[in-house]
Amino acid sequence: MDCRSESATTGAGRFRVNANGKLLDVWLLVRCVSCDRTSKLTVHERTAVRSIDPGELHGYHVNDPELVASRLLDPLLARRNRFTLDWTGAWRLDTLSERLDETWPVRVDVAFEDPVPVRPERLIAQGLGFSRTEVLRRIKCDISLRRSTSAGFTFTVTAGD
């Protein structure tokens, strides 16, 4: 990024594909969060066309949203292009309007529409209005509450003191 910000968003999630003979360059176009300028993240550079999977190549041409997401979540691409993603406001826990204090224990299934990494502890605290200490005390879960996940999980809320 020209402004030295290390945060970007994909906006419309578009690839730019440029052929130079039998070699191909593929970039993912992103917008800088700070200055709103468009930049290119190198996905493939001077790569032989035959070495790219035809389905993947088609995805680059049609700006496949799943391919955009998988490239953005690729830690090697992020490291090579020196960027991080801005996940602010990208997740929320939708809960029923009923109070959780009525029936115990309560089992909650979490599903992700997009593979946005989040620490379950933060998601649950914000969604249920608990402090993080209360989350650690009242939530039983098969995965670590303090490690980021982007896969669905289930947790159980136990009765408060």
Side-chain angles (χ1 to χ4, degrees):
M1 310 279 159
D2 295 331
C3 71
R4 298 183 188 213
S5 172
E6 293 183 355
S7 294
T9 179
T10 61
R14 299 202 182 276
F15 289 105
R16 179 165 181 224
V17 180
N18 184 34
N20 185 1
K22 294 181 181 181
L23 300 178
L24 197 68
D25 291 315
V26 179
W27 298 282
L28 179 58
L29 302 177
V30 295
R31 284 203 167 281
C32 176
V33 171
S34 299
C35 68
D36 203 38
R37 292 175 72 181
T38 301
S39 296
K40 300 182 294 188
L41 301 178
T42 302
V43 178
H44 293 286
E45 186 173 36
R46 302 281 185 236
T47 305
V49 175
R50 291 180 185 233
S51 68
I52 299 176
D53 175 68
E56 184 177 321
L57 184 57
H58 176 71
Y60 293 137
H61 286 293
V62 298
N63 297 309
D64 179 22
E66 289 181 22
L67 190 56
V68 169
S70 72
R71 292 303 168 260
L72 284 174
L73 293 173
D74 181 357
L76 295 175
L77 180 75
R79 191 173 310 123
R80 184 172 57 235
N81 287 281
R82 294 186 301 278
F83 79 91
T84 58
L85 296 174
D86 182 10
W87 297 112
T88 305
W91 47 262
R92 72 174 186 276
L93 180 64
D94 294 325
T95 58
L96 299 174
S97 58
E98 300 124 22
R99 296 277 309 152
L100 289 176
D101 293 332
E102 297 174 6
T103 311
W104 300 106
V106 176
R107 183 180 166 110
V108 179
D109 293 319
V110 177
F112 290 84
E113 290 181 13
D114 295 309
V116 176
V118 63
R119 282 184 23 207
E121 170 189 41
R122 291 184 64 198
L123 178 68
I124 295 166
Q126 184 180 24
L128 300 180
F130 289 175
S131 69
R132 287 186 173 171
T133 304
E134 190 175 9
V135 167
L136 295 174
R137 191 178 78 248
R138 294 184 58 187
I139 303 299
K140 305 300 179 214
C141 188
D142 289 339
I143 65 168
S144 172
L145 295 175
R146 293 186 172 184
R147 288 209 172 146
S148 289
T149 185
S150 56
F153 61 95
T154 301
F155 66 89
T156 303
V157 185
T158 60
D161 297 332

